[in-house]
Amino acid sequence: MYSTEPPRLFALVPCAGVGERAGAGGPKQYARVAGRSLVAHTLAALAAVERLSGVMVVLSPGDAQFEQAAPGYTGWVERVGGATRAESVAQGLAALVDHGAQPHDWVLVHDAARCLLQPAWVDALIDACQDDEVGGLLALPVPDTLKQEAGGRVSATVERAGKWQAQTPQMFRLGLLRPALVQAGAAVTDEASAIEALGHAPKLVRGALENFKVTYPQDFELAERLLRTR
Ligand SMILES: Nc1ccn([C@@H]2O[C@H](COP(=O)(O)OP(=O)(O)OP(=O)(O)O)[C@@H](O)[C@H]2O)c(=O)n1
Ligand SMILES: C[C@](O)(CO)[C@H](O)COP(=O)(O)O
């Protein structure tokens, strides 16, 4: 189905969010923790993954902060971000094609806001997925009892067995992910969902608790403490 040329691996970093829940007074990916911006930490981790052939960052069209926030970054930058994460990723994939990426190449999509990424976790994902038909994602089994909420109260206890929290990177072939995202639409919250909607079963690769997404105000302090003690 795919070319016999060895596939390359590209990282795609959606970095076009507004960070509403973080309340940082601007896009959270440019907030500083442990001496540099979130996105600079993220890109440093990806730069240390030797098997990546390239890294592309997707920014909002009007972004004027990235270059200052990520000094020294020499990868691709595309100001093609959309209104949702899925749109930003879809636009980034189109830009990757313009840069010569082929359908059989792998794309590892990683949130700019998951700034605690470690190269070893990316390598583990690549090792687990590079010979797989579908691809997969870092994720963690849910360790706590799960509650369904209604109006600030528990309306049900949800079965947690077999449930995992999706993280990033999420690694799929460009030729599978691109049409999957087109079909899934702008509201899909991760790449795996789009792949699942086509009837595939992405591989779950155990991630790390530390690989959390900075989302709420208190997450910055936790990220700061963890990064400073590495
Ligand atoms: N339109 C969007 C929305 C999100 N992202 C990126 O996707 C990642 C995960 O998104 P999320 O944590 O939801 O970030 P925000 O959309 O910035 O946050 P919020 O939903 O609180 O506004 C982030 O690196 C963010 O910059 C993006 O590239 N384009
Ligand atoms: C892709 C993701 O980080 C996996 O957990 C998550 O789905 C992003 O969700 P958000 O709605 O952009 O916060």
Side-chain angles (χ1 to χ4, degrees):
M1 173 167 72
Y2 291 119
S3 153
T4 51
E5 289 287 301
R8 292 168 297 170
L9 297 113
F10 296 102
L12 180 67
V13 180
C15 188
V18 294
E20 194 181 337
R21 288 168 290 178
K28 65 190 175 194
Q29 56 272 30
Y30 301 133
R32 289 174 76 83
V33 292
R36 53 184 168 176
S37 68
L38 263 62
V39 67
H41 286 287
T42 302
L43 294 174
L46 290 171
V49 180
E50 289 178 4
R51 284 180 284 180
L52 291 177
S53 295
V55 177
M56 176 178 286
V57 179
V58 178
L59 306 178
S60 291
D63 189 298
Q65 298 179 70
F66 175 76
E67 278 76 12
Q68 207 182 349
Y73 171 71
T74 54
W76 295 316
V77 176
E78 295 287 342
R79 286 179 164 75
V80 294
T84 67
R85 182 183 176 283
E87 287 177 314
S88 297
V89 172
Q91 292 300 324
L93 294 178
L96 269 179
V97 171
D98 293 342
H99 283 277
Q102 299 294 312
H104 72 293
D105 290 331
W106 291 101
V107 183
L108 284 78
V109 182
H110 182 71
D111 297 328
R114 284 187 198 270
C115 62
L116 290 112
L117 184 67
Q118 301 255 27
W121 306 334
V122 184
D123 279 321
L125 179 70
I126 295 170
D127 289 342
C129 295
Q130 64 185 353
D131 297 321
D132 194 77
E133 281 289 302
V134 178
L137 64 150
L138 292 185
L140 271 189
V142 173
D144 302 317
T145 301
L146 277 178
K147 302 295 184 190
Q148 179 70 48
E149 182 251 30
R153 289 181 172 274
V154 176
S155 62
T157 296
V158 179
E159 175 62 57
R160 77 172 163 199
K163 293 198 173 57
W164 292 56
Q165 292 174 210
Q167 300 185 335
T168 66
Q170 302 200 358
M171 170 172 166
F172 297 102
R173 301 248 193 197
L174 176 61
L176 180 60
L177 184 55
R178 233 188 135 189
L181 282 174
V182 169
Q183 193 155 322
V188 73
T189 55
D190 72 347
E191 291 63 54
S193 311
I195 300 289
E196 293 155 41
L198 294 184
H200 300 292
K203 194 167 183 178
L204 289 163
V205 180
R206 193 178 276 259
L209 190 55
E210 261 192 45
N211 187 27
F212 67 90
K213 178 162 67 69
V214 172
T215 303
Y216 298 108
Q218 61 272 24
D219 296 343
F220 292 100
E221 199 205 320
L222 180 57
E224 172 94 27
R225 272 194 280 139
L226 290 168
L227 286 165
R228 288 229 182 262
T229 52
R230 275 188 181 167

